[in-house]
PDB file of all heavy atoms in Angstrom:
ATOM      1  N   ASN A  50      13.621   1.559   9.849  1.00 98.00           N
ATOM      2  CA  ASN A  50      12.289   2.164   9.750  1.00 98.00           C
ATOM      3  C   ASN A  50      11.262   1.343  10.525  1.00 98.00           C
ATOM      4  O   ASN A  50      10.069   1.432  10.270  1.00 98.00           O
ATOM      5  CB  ASN A  50      11.861   2.241   8.280  1.00 98.00           C
ATOM      6  CG  ASN A  50      12.859   2.996   7.432  1.00 98.00           C
ATOM      7  OD1 ASN A  50      13.231   4.106   7.775  1.00 98.00           O
ATOM      8  ND2 ASN A  50      13.303   2.397   6.343  1.00 98.00           N
ATOM      9  N   SER A 110       6.280  -3.082  -3.782  1.00 98.00           N
ATOM     10  CA  SER A 110       7.002  -2.097  -2.970  1.00 98.00           C
ATOM     11  C   SER A 110       6.383  -0.737  -3.249  1.00 98.00           C
ATOM     12  O   SER A 110       5.637  -0.572  -4.223  1.00 98.00           O
ATOM     13  CB  SER A 110       8.491  -2.069  -3.341  1.00 98.00           C
ATOM     14  OG  SER A 110       8.651  -1.568  -4.651  1.00 98.00           O
ATOM     15  N   CYS A 111       6.704   0.230  -2.407  1.00 98.00           N
ATOM     16  CA  CYS A 111       6.234   1.585  -2.701  1.00 98.00           C
ATOM     17  C   CYS A 111       7.006   2.150  -3.886  1.00 98.00           C
ATOM     18  O   CYS A 111       6.491   2.961  -4.649  1.00 98.00           O
ATOM     19  CB  CYS A 111       6.364   2.485  -1.470  1.00 98.00           C
ATOM     20  SG  CYS A 111       5.660   4.116  -1.733  1.00 98.00           S
ATOM     21  N   TRP A 112       8.245   1.704  -4.039  1.00 98.00           N
ATOM     22  CA  TRP A 112       9.014   2.103  -5.228  1.00 98.00           C
ATOM     23  C   TRP A 112       8.211   1.726  -6.481  1.00 98.00           C
ATOM     24  O   TRP A 112       8.001   2.534  -7.389  1.00 98.00           O
ATOM     25  CB  TRP A 112      10.384   1.403  -5.236  1.00 98.00           C
ATOM     26  CG  TRP A 112      11.236   1.909  -6.351  1.00 98.00           C
ATOM     27  CD1 TRP A 112      11.111   1.608  -7.672  1.00 98.00           C
ATOM     28  CD2 TRP A 112      12.288   2.873  -6.255  1.00 98.00           C
ATOM     29  NE1 TRP A 112      12.020   2.321  -8.409  1.00 98.00           N
ATOM     30  CE2 TRP A 112      12.756   3.093  -7.566  1.00 98.00           C
ATOM     31  CE3 TRP A 112      12.883   3.557  -5.192  1.00 98.00           C
ATOM     32  CZ2 TRP A 112      13.795   3.984  -7.830  1.00 98.00           C
ATOM     33  CZ3 TRP A 112      13.921   4.441  -5.469  1.00 98.00           C
ATOM     34  CH2 TRP A 112      14.358   4.645  -6.772  1.00 98.00           C
ATOM     35  N   ASN A 113       7.763   0.489  -6.477  1.00 98.00           N
ATOM     36  CA  ASN A 113       6.963  -0.025  -7.568  1.00 98.00           C
ATOM     37  C   ASN A 113       5.663   0.771  -7.738  1.00 98.00           C
ATOM     38  O   ASN A 113       5.252   1.081  -8.856  1.00 98.00           O
ATOM     39  CB  ASN A 113       6.630  -1.465  -7.189  1.00 98.00           C
ATOM     40  CG  ASN A 113       6.636  -2.405  -8.357  1.00 98.00           C
ATOM     41  OD1 ASN A 113       5.656  -3.099  -8.554  1.00 98.00           O
ATOM     42  ND2 ASN A 113       7.699  -2.433  -9.124  1.00 98.00           N
ATOM     43  N   ASN A 115       5.047   3.901  -6.884  1.00 98.00           N
ATOM     44  CA  ASN A 115       5.297   5.232  -7.434  1.00 98.00           C
ATOM     45  C   ASN A 115       5.680   5.181  -8.907  1.00 98.00           C
ATOM     46  O   ASN A 115       5.320   6.055  -9.683  1.00 98.00           O
ATOM     47  CB  ASN A 115       6.393   5.945  -6.630  1.00 98.00           C
ATOM     48  CG  ASN A 115       5.869   6.465  -5.300  1.00 98.00           C
ATOM     49  OD1 ASN A 115       4.666   6.714  -5.157  1.00 98.00           O
ATOM     50  ND2 ASN A 115       6.741   6.626  -4.333  1.00 98.00           N
ATOM     51  N   HIS A 136      11.168  11.845  -2.487  1.00 97.00           N
ATOM     52  CA  HIS A 136      11.904  10.577  -2.503  1.00 97.00           C
ATOM     53  C   HIS A 136      12.276  10.161  -3.935  1.00 97.00           C
ATOM     54  O   HIS A 136      11.550  10.443  -4.886  1.00 97.00           O
ATOM     55  CB  HIS A 136      11.015   9.501  -1.869  1.00 97.00           C
ATOM     56  CG  HIS A 136      11.717   8.209  -1.617  1.00 97.00           C
ATOM     57  ND1 HIS A 136      11.615   7.132  -2.464  1.00 97.00           N
ATOM     58  CD2 HIS A 136      12.537   7.818  -0.603  1.00 97.00           C
ATOM     59  CE1 HIS A 136      12.334   6.125  -1.970  1.00 97.00           C
ATOM     60  NE2 HIS A 136      12.892   6.517  -0.839  1.00 97.00           N
ATOM     61  N   SER A 138      12.007   7.487  -5.473  1.00 98.00           N
ATOM     62  CA  SER A 138      11.008   6.695  -6.212  1.00 98.00           C
ATOM     63  C   SER A 138       9.941   7.584  -6.841  1.00 98.00           C
ATOM     64  O   SER A 138       9.371   7.239  -7.877  1.00 98.00           O
ATOM     65  CB  SER A 138      10.343   5.673  -5.283  1.00 98.00           C
ATOM     66  OG  SER A 138       9.694   6.315  -4.210  1.00 98.00           O
ATOM     67  N   ILE A 139       9.674   8.747  -6.227  1.00 98.00           N
ATOM     68  CA  ILE A 139       8.742   9.708  -6.837  1.00 98.00           C
ATOM     69  C   ILE A 139       9.421  10.344  -8.046  1.00 98.00           C
ATOM     70  O   ILE A 139       8.822  10.453  -9.127  1.00 98.00           O
ATOM     71  CB  ILE A 139       8.325  10.795  -5.823  1.00 98.00           C
ATOM     72  CG1 ILE A 139       7.580  10.161  -4.645  1.00 98.00           C
ATOM     73  CG2 ILE A 139       7.464  11.867  -6.505  1.00 98.00           C
ATOM     74  CD1 ILE A 139       7.219  11.142  -3.541  1.00 98.00           C
ATOM     75  N   ASP A 180       6.185  14.110  -0.544  1.00 98.00           N
ATOM     76  CA  ASP A 180       6.334  13.204   0.603  1.00 98.00           C
ATOM     77  C   ASP A 180       5.454  13.747   1.724  1.00 98.00           C
ATOM     78  O   ASP A 180       5.265  14.963   1.823  1.00 98.00           O
ATOM     79  CB  ASP A 180       7.787  13.228   1.107  1.00 98.00           C
ATOM     80  CG  ASP A 180       8.739  12.344   0.311  1.00 98.00           C
ATOM     81  OD1 ASP A 180       8.502  12.116  -0.879  1.00 98.00           O
ATOM     82  OD2 ASP A 180       9.740  11.905   0.906  1.00 98.00           O
ATOM     83  N   VAL A 182       6.269  12.882   5.119  1.00 98.00           N
ATOM     84  CA  VAL A 182       7.415  13.167   5.988  1.00 98.00           C
ATOM     85  C   VAL A 182       8.668  13.055   5.113  1.00 98.00           C
ATOM     86  O   VAL A 182       8.840  12.051   4.422  1.00 98.00           O
ATOM     87  CB  VAL A 182       7.518  12.147   7.142  1.00 98.00           C
ATOM     88  CG1 VAL A 182       8.801  12.367   7.946  1.00 98.00           C
ATOM     89  CG2 VAL A 182       6.289  12.219   8.047  1.00 98.00           C
ATOM     90  N   SER A 184      12.419  12.321   4.400  1.00 95.00           N
ATOM     91  CA  SER A 184      13.208  11.342   5.146  1.00 95.00           C
ATOM     92  C   SER A 184      14.549  11.859   5.632  1.00 95.00           C
ATOM     93  O   SER A 184      15.093  11.349   6.597  1.00 95.00           O
ATOM     94  CB  SER A 184      13.421  10.099   4.290  1.00 95.00           C
ATOM     95  OG  SER A 184      14.120  10.429   3.118  1.00 95.00           O
ATOM     96  N   ASP A 209       2.920  10.735  -0.726  1.00 98.00           N
ATOM     97  CA  ASP A 209       3.615   9.487  -0.389  1.00 98.00           C
ATOM     98  C   ASP A 209       3.970   9.583   1.085  1.00 98.00           C
ATOM     99  O   ASP A 209       4.854  10.332   1.471  1.00 98.00           O
ATOM    100  CB  ASP A 209       4.867   9.330  -1.259  1.00 98.00           C
ATOM    101  CG  ASP A 209       5.697   8.090  -0.871  1.00 98.00           C
ATOM    102  OD1 ASP A 209       5.448   7.510   0.206  1.00 98.00           O
ATOM    103  OD2 ASP A 209       6.593   7.727  -1.656  1.00 98.00           O
ATOM    104  N   SER A 211       5.200   7.321   3.236  1.00 98.00           N
ATOM    105  CA  SER A 211       5.944   6.131   3.679  1.00 98.00           C
ATOM    106  C   SER A 211       6.545   6.280   5.072  1.00 98.00           C
ATOM    107  O   SER A 211       6.540   5.338   5.859  1.00 98.00           O
ATOM    108  CB  SER A 211       7.044   5.797   2.670  1.00 98.00           C
ATOM    109  OG  SER A 211       6.481   5.289   1.484  1.00 98.00           O
ATOM    110  N   HIS A 212       7.112   7.471   5.372  1.00 98.00           N
ATOM    111  CA  HIS A 212       7.692   7.683   6.704  1.00 98.00           C
ATOM    112  C   HIS A 212       6.672   8.232   7.705  1.00 98.00           C
ATOM    113  O   HIS A 212       7.014   8.455   8.865  1.00 98.00           O
ATOM    114  CB  HIS A 212       8.887   8.648   6.646  1.00 98.00           C
ATOM    115  CG  HIS A 212      10.159   8.003   6.197  1.00 98.00           C
ATOM    116  ND1 HIS A 212      10.922   7.185   7.003  1.00 98.00           N
ATOM    117  CD2 HIS A 212      10.799   8.041   4.999  1.00 98.00           C
ATOM    118  CE1 HIS A 212      11.979   6.761   6.340  1.00 98.00           C
ATOM    119  NE2 HIS A 212      11.933   7.264   5.114  1.00 98.00           N
ATOM    120  N   GLY A 239       2.179   4.586  -0.218  1.00 98.00           N
ATOM    121  CA  GLY A 239       2.890   4.274   1.016  1.00 98.00           C
ATOM    122  C   GLY A 239       3.516   2.904   0.945  1.00 98.00           C
ATOM    123  O   GLY A 239       3.361   2.174  -0.040  1.00 98.00           O
ATOM    124  N   THR A 240       4.250   2.573   2.002  1.00 98.00           N
ATOM    125  CA  THR A 240       4.978   1.306   2.039  1.00 98.00           C
ATOM    126  C   THR A 240       4.484   0.432   3.183  1.00 98.00           C
ATOM    127  O   THR A 240       4.021   0.939   4.208  1.00 98.00           O
ATOM    128  CB  THR A 240       6.492   1.562   2.190  1.00 98.00           C
ATOM    129  OG1 THR A 240       7.182   0.308   2.125  1.00 98.00           O
ATOM    130  CG2 THR A 240       6.834   2.242   3.513  1.00 98.00           C
ATOM    131  N   LEU A 241       4.599  -0.866   2.982  1.00 98.00           N
ATOM    132  CA  LEU A 241       4.384  -1.822   4.070  1.00 98.00           C
ATOM    133  C   LEU A 241       5.732  -2.232   4.650  1.00 98.00           C
ATOM    134  O   LEU A 241       5.809  -3.047   5.549  1.00 98.00           O
ATOM    135  CB  LEU A 241       3.635  -3.055   3.537  1.00 98.00           C
ATOM    136  CG  LEU A 241       2.281  -2.740   2.882  1.00 98.00           C
ATOM    137  CD1 LEU A 241       1.746  -3.958   2.121  1.00 98.00           C
ATOM    138  CD2 LEU A 241       1.277  -2.279   3.926  1.00 98.00           C
ATOM    139  N   GLY A 242       6.798  -1.660   4.107  1.00 98.00           N
ATOM    140  CA  GLY A 242       8.158  -2.050   4.480  1.00 98.00           C
ATOM    141  C   GLY A 242       8.781  -1.192   5.564  1.00 98.00           C
ATOM    142  O   GLY A 242       9.971  -1.329   5.854  1.00 98.00           O
ATOM    143  N   LYS A 243       8.004  -0.294   6.158  1.00 98.00           N
ATOM    144  CA  LYS A 243       8.551   0.518   7.253  1.00 98.00           C
ATOM    145  C   LYS A 243       7.776   0.193   8.535  1.00 98.00           C
ATOM    146  O   LYS A 243       7.912  -0.906   9.065  1.00 98.00           O
ATOM    147  CB  LYS A 243       8.529   1.990   6.869  1.00 98.00           C
ATOM    148  CG  LYS A 243       9.547   2.301   5.762  1.00 98.00           C
ATOM    149  CD  LYS A 243       9.739   3.768   5.441  1.00 98.00           C
ATOM    150  CE  LYS A 243      10.939   3.973   4.533  1.00 98.00           C
ATOM    151  NZ  LYS A 243      10.617   4.376   3.173  1.00 98.00           N
ATOM    152  N   ALA A 249       7.928  -5.873   3.144  1.00 97.00           N
ATOM    153  CA  ALA A 249       8.027  -5.284   1.811  1.00 97.00           C
ATOM    154  C   ALA A 249       6.612  -4.956   1.402  1.00 97.00           C
ATOM    155  O   ALA A 249       5.660  -5.279   2.116  1.00 97.00           O
ATOM    156  CB  ALA A 249       8.647  -6.252   0.811  1.00 97.00           C
ATOM    157  N   GLY A 250       6.473  -4.367   0.249  1.00 98.00           N
ATOM    158  CA  GLY A 250       5.126  -4.098  -0.254  1.00 98.00           C
ATOM    159  C   GLY A 250       4.805  -2.623  -0.171  1.00 98.00           C
ATOM    160  O   GLY A 250       5.312  -1.899   0.683  1.00 98.00           O
ATOM    161  N   GLY A 251       3.965  -2.200  -1.086  1.00 98.00           N
ATOM    162  CA  GLY A 251       3.533  -0.812  -1.105  1.00 98.00           C
ATOM    163  C   GLY A 251       2.115  -0.755  -1.628  1.00 98.00           C
ATOM    164  O   GLY A 251       1.515  -1.790  -1.943  1.00 98.00           O
TER     165      GLY A 251
HETATM  166  C1  PLP B   1      11.033   4.151   1.769  1.00 71.50           C
HETATM  167  C2  PLP B   1      10.274   4.967   0.825  1.00 71.50           C
HETATM  168  C3  PLP B   1       9.827   4.427  -0.379  1.00 71.50           C
HETATM  169  C4  PLP B   1      10.196   3.035  -0.831  1.00 71.50           C
HETATM  170  O1  PLP B   1       9.451   2.088  -0.141  1.00 71.50           O
HETATM  171  P1  PLP B   1       9.637   0.544  -0.537  1.00 71.50           P
HETATM  172  O2  PLP B   1       8.336  -0.068  -0.196  1.00 71.50           O
HETATM  173  O3  PLP B   1      10.781   0.032   0.303  1.00 71.50           O
HETATM  174  O4  PLP B   1       9.947   0.500  -1.978  1.00 71.50           O
HETATM  175  C5  PLP B   1       9.047   5.215  -1.194  1.00 71.50           C
HETATM  176  N1  PLP B   1       8.739   6.483  -0.869  1.00 71.50           N
HETATM  177  C6  PLP B   1       9.171   7.049   0.281  1.00 71.50           C
HETATM  178  C7  PLP B   1       8.791   8.454   0.598  1.00 71.50           C
HETATM  179  C8  PLP B   1       9.961   6.309   1.156  1.00 71.50           C
HETATM  180  O5  PLP B   1      10.399   6.872   2.277  1.00 71.50           O
END
Side-chain angles (χ1 to χ4, degrees):
N50 304 308
S110 67
C111 185
W112 186 285
N113 218 233
N115 284 335
H136 189 261
S138 60
I139 297 176
D180 279 28
V182 174
S184 61
D209 176 347
S211 289
H212 280 284
T240 184
L241 302 168
K243 290 188 169 110

